[in-house]
Amino acid sequence: MTTSPSPLSSTPSLYVVATPLGNLQDIGIRAQAVLAGVDAIAAEDTRHSQRLLDALGIRTKLFALHEHNEQAAVGQVIRMLEAGRQVALISDAGTPAISDPGARAVARVREAGFPVVPVPGPCAAIAALSASGFVDDGFRFVGFLPAKQAARRAAIEDLRAQTVPLVFYESPHRIAECVADLAAVLEPVRDIVIAREITKIYEQIARMPLGAAPAWLAADPNRCRGEFVLIVAGAPAAEGLGAEAERVLALLLAELPVKSAARLAAEITGAARNTLYARALELKGG
């Protein structure tokens, strides 16, 4: 009779374990074995995670590691590793440390000299991208935008010239405001994919022009419920600038930051500010 090899290393390690977004059947075989085999699990919300462990029949001890106690909790993790124990890290759903608590903990564990072992599995951003239909080479993961409108719009403006799809996370109580700001700052002809409740019973993935998205959300209150991934197409292909616009932009760039130079060049020449901004980034980068 043969026995399965242990899923754990002989060296005390922190295991970063991805857990289901909603559908329990998405739990990986290795993830289950690691969660059952470690000495303790650091969880974003112990009550939430206890329900997951109960459903899997796992009795491993949980302790809290979230944004408000991360510094103290990682000290506990390191002490456990120093004592020769094995520890797993999980978030409420998906892959930890991706727009979730845990990134600082991972960094400190690595700095302390202990291995950090990823146990891959569900990730909301990748799941949404896989069903989005965008065919670009690459994407820019942003995560959550700022909560306040002025800061959120400024952050969107800073991303305007990105030529690859932009991936955001958003919560139900801010989704309408976030989409409205995306539509106000970016070109309305860009496509957006709105993916909500991925892998759950009310999963919905819709693609449409960004300019139509605020009305689409408003048409049905249910469309604003759940956890969201938003994917916005990259900047439209820039049209060529005339010689005068190129000359003015180059002169302004010699004295001003990129955003200011592009804004003033647009006012002086009448060329599209977005096109000027993208060209300014190229000139600065080159």
Side-chain angles (χ1 to χ4, degrees):
M1 180 177 178
T2 59
T3 57
S4 299
S6 170
L8 306 178
S9 167
S10 58
T11 303
S13 305
L14 175 66
Y15 297 84
V16 182
V17 182
T19 56
L21 302 171
N23 190 323
L24 189 61
Q25 294 181 1
D26 290 334
I27 188 72
I29 294 173
R30 182 181 172 210
Q32 289 189 72
V34 168
L35 294 177
V38 294
D39 296 292
I41 300 170
E44 183 180 359
D45 182 332
T46 55
R47 290 175 298 179
H48 176 90
S49 294
Q50 188 63 60
R51 292 194 290 272
L52 171 66
L53 297 190
D54 289 344
L56 298 173
I58 294 172
R59 299 290 177 256
T60 307
K61 176 185 175 183
L62 288 169
F63 66 95
L65 190 155
H66 48 70
E67 63 178 326
H68 302 297
N69 79 336
E70 192 165 0
Q71 285 293 97
V74 72
Q76 180 179 351
V77 171
I78 292 172
R79 289 191 296 273
M80 295 177 71
L81 295 171
E82 290 172 340
R85 303 173 75 186
Q86 306 274 18
V87 184
L89 171 68
I90 62 176
S91 61
D92 285 352
T95 301
I98 308 297
S99 280
D100 267 330
R104 292 183 181 87
V106 166
R108 282 194 54 194
V109 168
R110 294 184 65 85
E111 289 167 4
F114 293 99
V116 177
V117 181
V119 182
C123 173
I126 298 302
L129 276 164
S130 73
S132 69
F134 286 112
V135 296
D136 307 76
D137 292 330
F139 60 91
R140 168 77 181 271
F141 177 74
V142 181
F144 288 96
L145 287 164
K148 295 187 177 179
Q149 185 182 65
R152 185 166 57 238
R153 288 198 173 198
I156 296 168
E157 180 66 39
D158 287 341
L159 295 164
R160 175 194 283 272
Q162 293 284 321
T163 57
V164 294
L166 305 170
V167 183
F168 307 95
Y169 286 161
E170 195 49 271
S171 59
H173 62 278
R174 282 203 302 266
I175 184 62
E177 292 84 354
C178 178
V179 169
D181 287 341
L182 287 167
V185 175
L186 302 177
E187 298 84 354
V189 295
R190 297 195 194 200
D191 269 8
I192 182 173
V193 166
I194 301 176
R196 70 180 190 94
E197 294 292 86
I198 294 175
T199 79
K200 302 176 185 178
I201 189 170
Y202 295 113
E203 176 182 272
Q204 187 173 27
I205 302 174
R207 179 167 173 166
M208 67 200 74
L210 180 55
W216 182 85
L217 283 173
D220 182 350
N222 289 319
R223 293 174 179 170
C224 288
R225 295 177 178 171
E227 299 299 323
F228 290 83
V229 180
L230 305 174
I231 308 173
V232 180
E239 298 176 2
L241 291 172
E244 178 64 9
E246 286 270 7
R247 184 185 72 82
V248 170
L249 180 62
L251 289 171
L252 291 170
L253 275 175
E255 303 293 335
L256 296 171
V258 167
K259 286 179 67 174
S260 299
R263 178 177 55 80
L264 287 175
E267 293 176 2
I268 294 168
T269 67
R273 186 174 66 170
N274 188 42
T275 304
L276 286 161
Y277 183 61
R279 179 60 177 150
L281 288 176
E282 290 176 2
L283 293 172
K284 280 292 187 180

